[in-house]
Amino acid sequence: RKRRTKTTLGADGQWEYLVGDAPTRMNPEATGISVNASNPMFHRKDTDKHFQWRVRNLPYPSDNYDISIDSEKRQIVIRTKNKKYYKRFGIPELDVIGANLLEGALTWYHANHTLVISYQKPKEVLDEEVKDKMERKKLATQQEDDAQCKQQ
């Protein structure tokens, strides 16, 4: 899922990827360098009731992770005690509605070299998603039989 916001002058801005990653194109002629496969990879993968992020390729034990909420900057912070990984990220959907992050809604676990962080969606976000889903259903979808110019 991605969205595009307007710049200060009103032009279309850059795409912001909310769920998933931007498509990558590798040109072997331009560069022979690529990202190492053993580097940690941060992905967002939401469920029906939770915002969820996965950090793959983190081989450290569970007691090494410190996941907390920075209330001032409205971000979730991932730290390791051995200082090998650090990441700060926000939740754009909560920024839109102006909701604060709550410690009780944050859960995490580590299994198979993957750190999974979940944040329970507030009722306002769930209501907005239902409303958006209903609006998408109302849109008329064009069937193959309903072509505007039928060929002879």
Side-chain angles (χ1 to χ4, degrees):
R1 185 175 358 152
K2 62 183 179 178
R3 72 174 176 186
R4 181 181 264 183
T5 57
K6 300 281 185 184
T7 62
T8 54
L9 298 176
D12 288 333
Q14 295 291 324
W15 286 105
E16 177 185 2
Y17 287 84
L18 300 175
V19 176
D21 293 326
T24 58
R25 295 185 183 114
M26 183 175 165
N27 185 358
E29 294 175 4
T31 179
I33 300 172
S34 63
V35 177
N36 189 348
S38 64
N39 283 352
M41 298 174 67
F42 183 80
H43 300 281
R44 180 170 170 179
K45 187 172 184 173
D46 290 351
T47 63
D48 291 337
K49 306 255 186 226
H50 293 89
F51 298 115
Q52 194 173 80
W53 300 268
R54 295 173 182 259
V55 187
R56 300 184 194 284
N57 298 330
L58 287 178
Y60 315 113
S62 295
D63 60 346
N64 194 29
Y65 300 101
D66 178 27
I67 289 86
S68 60
I69 291 179
D70 184 356
S71 299
E72 291 178 16
K73 295 185 180 179
R74 299 171 52 152
Q75 293 179 332
I76 298 173
V77 181
I78 304 171
R79 291 183 180 95
T80 55
K81 292 179 183 171
N82 60 359
K83 299 187 180 185
K84 298 287 185 180
Y85 187 77
Y86 179 83
K87 177 81 174 171
R88 299 178 78 93
F89 58 95
I91 306 174
E93 290 86 352
L94 294 184
D95 291 340
V96 169
I97 64 172
N100 291 324
L101 296 173
L102 304 172
E103 286 281 343
L106 182 69
T107 58
W108 66 275
Y109 67 91
H110 182 266
N112 300 324
H113 295 271
T114 302
L115 179 66
V116 179
I117 301 163
S118 298
Y119 188 86
Q120 188 174 4
K121 292 181 181 178
K123 184 166 177 26
E124 296 88 13
V125 173
L126 292 172
D127 293 341
E128 189 68 29
E129 286 179 355
V130 169
K131 183 177 149 187
D132 290 345
K133 189 175 183 180
M134 295 302 286
E135 287 178 10
R136 284 193 306 268
K137 280 187 177 181
K138 287 180 184 177
L139 293 175
T141 57
Q142 187 177 26
Q143 302 293 330
E144 277 188 40
D145 302 350
D146 298 339
Q148 292 179 359
C149 323
K150 294 188 178 185
Q151 294 181 355
Q152 298 178 358

